[in-house]
Amino acid sequence: MKIRFMGTAAAEAIPALFCECDLCKRMRALGAAGVHTRSGAIIDDTLKLDFGPDTYHHMLASGLNFAWIHSVLITHSHEDHLDVDELSLRRGTFASILTTDKLMTVYGNERVGEMVQRLECEYFHFELLKPFETVKIEGYDVTPLEGVHCIDPNGSRYPVVHEGTTYFRSEQVFIYLIEKDGKSLLYAHDTARLTPRDMDYLSGKRLSLVSLDCTNGFLDVKWVGHMGAKDNIEIRHRMLENGAADESTIFVANHFSHNGYPGQKELEALLPGFVVAWDGLEIEF
Ligand SMILES: [Zn+2]
Ligand SMILES: [Zn+2]
Ligand SMILES: [Zn+2]
C-alpha cells in the first residue's frame, strides 16, 4: 500500500492567506518548502481521501489523472476537507471523461450527502457510510470510525466519549481504517484523542501506518476537536499498549495550523517516533 500526502494543513493553510505571524513569515520566505496546502491524500493513486479547496494544485503536483479517480472518502464537511464547487467541475461541459468507467462515488456522512447530492448524475453518485460498518471500495475494506470533532456545545446528536466525557457533534465525523492484503492504514483527521470505541475496535490490529491529526502542534489547547504533539505521543503509547500498533507501525503527524506548527525540524524534535508530514510525502508500506 502507498499513501501520498497531497496537502498537510488545516483550513487556513501555511503560510495562511492573510497572515503576518512569525511562522507564516518564516514559511513564506522558504518558498515551496514552507508551503502546506489544505489536507488531502490518496492511497495507491486510486482511493482519494478528502477533496478540499487545494485539490486542483494536488492534481498538478502529483501528475495524476483525476478523471480515473472513481472513489472519494470524505471525513467531514469542513471546507478544508470538502469543496463541492471543485467536485462539480467533473460534470457537464467542464470535463470530457474518456475512461469507460465514468462514475465517481463520494462516500461520507449525512451532512456530506446533503452537500453533494445536488451533483448526482450519470458521472456522480453519493454513498452514505455508517460508523463501524465495513464496506468494500476499490478492493479495500474501509471502516469509518468515530472522530472527535465538530463539537456542538448545544447539540444532542452524534455522541462521542472523549477522555471520560461525552460530547455531541454537529455531524458524524469519520476517521478511516483502510485494509487490503494484510496491510492497514488509519487516517485520523480531524479528531481529538481517539474514543474508547475506536481504541477497542483497533485493538490487536497491528496497523501498518497511522496518520494522526496534529493541528495544535506544540500548543496545549483546552478545547476539544484536534490533537497536538503531546496527544499524538499519548495515542501512540496507547496503541502500542493495546496492540493497535507495534514497533513496525509507521506513525505520521499531519494536518498543521500556523498557530501550533513550529517548523519541520522543530516539530520532529517534539515527536520522536513520528514522521512529520509535508506536501507530496509518499510512504510505501
Ligand atoms: Zn481540517
Ligand atoms: Zn500565520
Ligand atoms: Zn474539521
Side-chain angles (χ1 to χ4, degrees):
M1 220 187 264
K2 181 182 80 177
I3 181 167
R4 180 183 177 97
F5 292 88
M6 302 180 115
T8 55
E12 70 283 355
I14 299 174
L17 188 56
F18 299 110
C19 190
E20 296 186 291
C21 79
D22 289 344
L23 185 271
C24 286
K25 280 185 198 160
R26 247 176 74 209
M27 293 298 123
R28 210 170 264 126
L30 288 177
V35 172
H36 296 264
T37 59
R38 270 65 69 92
S39 70
I42 192 164
I43 311 294
D44 296 330
D45 299 339
T46 301
L47 184 58
K48 184 79 188 74
L49 297 169
D50 281 333
F51 207 95
D54 290 328
T55 303
Y56 176 71
H57 169 75
H58 299 160
M59 177 201 73
L60 295 177
S62 65
L64 294 174
N65 181 348
F66 271 44
W68 291 9
I69 294 174
H70 301 299
S71 303
V72 181
L73 304 176
I74 302 292
T75 53
H76 63 304
S77 72
H78 281 166
E79 74 281 2
D80 52 326
H81 296 258
L82 173 61
D83 187 326
V84 179
D85 291 330
E86 290 292 297
L87 268 178
S88 75
L89 298 175
R90 200 173 192 281
R91 299 190 313 160
T93 56
F94 296 114
S96 293
I97 295 171
L98 301 177
T99 167
T100 47
D101 181 6
K102 295 189 191 315
L103 192 70
M104 174 189 266
T105 305
V106 174
Y107 299 84
N109 65 28
E110 287 106 335
R111 177 79 193 107
V112 170
E114 286 162 17
M115 289 168 72
V116 303
Q117 260 157 355
R118 68 175 167 91
L119 303 179
E120 292 265 352
C121 65
E122 55 179 321
Y123 295 156
F124 209 92
H125 174 65
F126 173 74
E127 195 86 31
L128 180 68
L129 297 178
K130 302 255 169 65
F132 302 100
E133 286 185 17
T134 304
V135 287
K136 198 64 129 186
I137 303 171
E138 306 269 4
Y140 301 88
D141 289 316
V142 175
T143 312
L145 307 183
E146 53 187 19
V148 183
H149 190 67
C150 295
I151 302 299
D152 178 2
N154 305 312
S156 58
R157 301 183 73 195
Y158 310 119
V160 276
V161 177
H162 167 73
E163 303 296 294
T165 303
T166 300
Y167 294 86
F168 295 95
R169 298 167 295 170
S170 55
E171 62 185 85
Q172 176 72 72
V173 178
F174 293 141
I175 61 176
Y176 285 107
L177 170 65
I178 299 164
E179 300 167 285
K180 189 184 184 182
D181 299 335
K183 301 287 182 180
S184 53
L185 161 95
L186 179 72
Y187 189 77
H189 314 280
D190 302 352
T191 185
R193 292 182 181 194
L194 308 195
T195 70
R197 270 184 96 191
D198 288 342
M199 290 301 284
D200 284 350
Y201 193 90
L202 295 169
S203 167
K205 286 260 182 205
R206 301 191 180 281
L207 297 165
S208 312
L209 187 144
V210 176
S211 181
L212 294 178
D213 183 289
C214 196
T215 310
N216 299 330
F218 66 86
L219 296 172
D220 273 325
V221 173
K222 291 277 178 286
W223 62 276
V224 174
H226 287 289
M227 285 189 275
K230 276 186 188 159
D231 303 302
N232 287 179
I233 284 171
E234 173 61 23
I235 290 298
R236 179 172 181 267
H237 175 73
R238 290 182 195 175
M239 288 183 130
L240 289 171
E241 227 170 43
N242 83 349
D246 62 25
E247 287 304 329
S248 68
T249 305
I250 301 164
F251 278 85
V252 180
N254 180 31
H255 192 284
F256 308 119
S257 155
H258 71 135
N259 295 310
Y261 181 75
Q264 180 76 22
K265 291 260 175 305
E266 292 83 349
L267 193 52
E268 281 169 0
L270 294 176
L271 282 168
F274 277 78
V275 176
V276 174
W278 63 85
D279 283 27
L281 169 67
E282 275 192 357
I283 303 178
E284 240 178 306
F285 50 93

